[in-house]
Amino acid sequence: MAMLLADSNALGNPQLKTYLAASRDHNIALSDLTLVEMRKEHAITNSRMSLRIASQFPSQVFVLKRAHEILELNMSASADVNALFDYVAGVELNQDMLDLSTVPVPERLKVRMAALEPEAANVVAELGKQMHDLEEALVDITKEFKPDQVKQLRTGRDVTEDTRQTLFRLLKETTARFFIDNQQPLNRKSISLTEARGMFAFRYSLCMMIYYILWVQNGRQVGRPEHLRVNDVIDMQLATVGTYFNGVLSTDKLVWNTSHAVRAVLRQFGAFVGEDWVLPESLAAH
């Protein structure tokens, strides 16, 4: 079975239908933030557009729990990953997809979306504030790596012990920040690498750090508009959870490259990472 995390761009890509139609064992998972993104304004219209392909394969679409619900879960093996799914939200999404295809739109959906839209807008606004501070910290952090260390992190190959130690030290700082931003107390004085490497917060910090290393390496500038910073948060949470599964479906090259590099670095740490999904020949022909 293949489980890929799909971002908002992938949801509208015709190749998604090819992937889902090729086998009933081909599944996608949606982050709660991907759903928030489509509901933040004109919730019914945007949801209908975003889910038009996925709604044809309801049994192959899953929903993930919210970030604060999985912060301290330690995913050390494939048997642990079922804890990442919100099955109640999955049932609700299936009903939403059915209602979105109904004309006229059922009153139930109108009421539901009317409640979800302002809630989604508030979540997006809060993410923008959090990301502003985190961006500045990440830019400073990337300066601590030497050029050869940046290459190690960018490619995920031949990561030295010195690089691993520096990365772990910095990751502990950004992981702590992430816990605080999500209003979760740090109930421990210290955390070991063995424990941290399976945690969402640690992996998210790693994704953000490598994302910004790649960002700076490509000559891009910081101080991005708020809506783009929010996109960063959503994309990196997707890439993070994707490490527990078979990868990320995204048309954004930087997101895909970040996901690829993070999976490789995590393996260097000896962490559990889902088996990489390889495009079957039958799909490659398309």
Side-chain angles (χ1 to χ4, degrees):
M1 184 181 78
M3 177 67 73
L4 299 174
L5 282 290
D7 69 7
S8 56
N9 293 325
L11 284 175
N13 193 312
Q15 292 185 4
L16 175 64
K17 184 173 183 177
T18 302
Y19 164 74
L20 291 172
S23 172
R24 291 184 179 180
D25 287 334
H26 287 178
N27 304 289
I28 60 170
L30 303 181
S31 164
D32 68 294
L33 292 183
T34 300
L35 297 176
V36 161
E37 195 175 20
M38 68 178 70
R39 293 167 176 167
K40 64 185 178 183
E41 58 182 0
H42 310 300
I44 291 178
T45 300
N46 288 335
S47 295
R48 181 183 288 118
M49 291 179 59
S50 296
L51 297 169
R52 65 186 185 277
I53 296 175
S55 62
Q56 299 173 47
F57 307 89
S59 65
Q60 294 165 245
V61 181
F62 295 80
V63 178
L64 300 170
K65 291 179 179 177
R66 298 183 180 187
H68 72 270
E69 296 177 294
I70 62 176
L71 277 184
E72 292 200 79
L73 294 181
N74 191 349
M75 301 287 136
S76 59
S78 59
D80 299 329
V81 299
N82 285 337
L84 298 173
F85 294 117
D86 187 332
Y87 293 102
V88 173
V91 171
E92 292 175 340
L93 180 63
N94 280 347
Q95 184 61 54
D96 288 347
M97 292 192 294
L98 179 62
D99 288 348
L100 287 166
S101 64
T102 303
V103 180
V105 174
E107 190 64 26
R108 185 205 75 87
L109 186 65
K110 292 180 182 179
V111 172
R112 175 169 158 77
M113 289 300 177
L116 289 175
E117 191 170 310
E119 178 183 314
N122 288 336
V123 170
V124 169
E126 185 59 33
L127 287 175
K129 294 175 185 176
Q130 290 181 11
M131 192 58 208
H132 181 269
D133 294 335
L134 181 57
E135 182 184 77
E136 294 180 357
L138 287 166
V139 171
D140 289 337
I141 282 172
T142 58
K143 296 176 183 177
E144 296 202 28
F145 293 103
K146 301 173 184 176
D148 62 320
Q149 292 178 313
V150 168
K151 182 178 179 180
Q152 293 168 28
L153 295 175
R154 181 166 47 82
T155 62
R157 295 194 298 268
D158 302 321
V159 180
T160 65
E161 181 61 27
D162 183 52
T163 300
R164 278 196 288 266
Q165 290 298 324
T166 301
L167 184 60
F168 184 50
R169 174 174 57 82
L170 296 171
L171 281 174
K172 284 194 291 186
E173 297 175 12
T174 52
T175 298
R177 177 189 291 270
F178 188 70
F179 269 94
I180 293 169
D181 284 344
N182 281 272
Q183 300 179 339
Q184 296 290 323
L186 281 171
N187 297 320
R188 57 175 64 85
K189 294 181 179 179
S190 62
I191 184 171
S192 68
L193 174 58
T194 301
E195 182 181 7
R197 66 190 183 188
M199 294 169 57
F200 174 87
F202 179 85
R203 293 188 181 205
Y204 175 75
S205 298
L206 176 59
C207 281
M208 290 303 303
M209 195 175 297
I210 290 182
Y211 181 73
Y212 269 85
I213 287 173
L214 293 172
W215 185 264
V216 174
Q217 282 282 296
N218 289 340
R220 287 152 176 170
Q221 303 299 312
V222 296
R224 310 173 72 209
E226 182 172 308
H227 74 280
L228 294 180
R229 292 201 303 269
V230 171
N231 287 345
D232 291 344
V233 175
I234 295 172
D235 289 340
M236 290 306 100
Q237 289 203 19
L238 201 71
T240 301
V241 184
T243 63
Y244 300 116
F245 299 106
N246 303 113
V248 173
L249 278 175
S250 176
T251 57
D252 187 321
K253 186 177 180 181
L254 190 57
V255 172
W256 196 92
N257 286 340
T258 302
S259 174
H260 182 74
V262 167
R263 293 169 74 85
V265 170
L266 283 169
R267 288 185 175 117
Q268 292 273 345
F269 276 125
F272 160 71
V273 178
E275 184 179 349
D276 294 336
W277 188 73
V278 178
L279 185 70
E281 292 183 9
S282 58
L283 287 182
H286 289 76

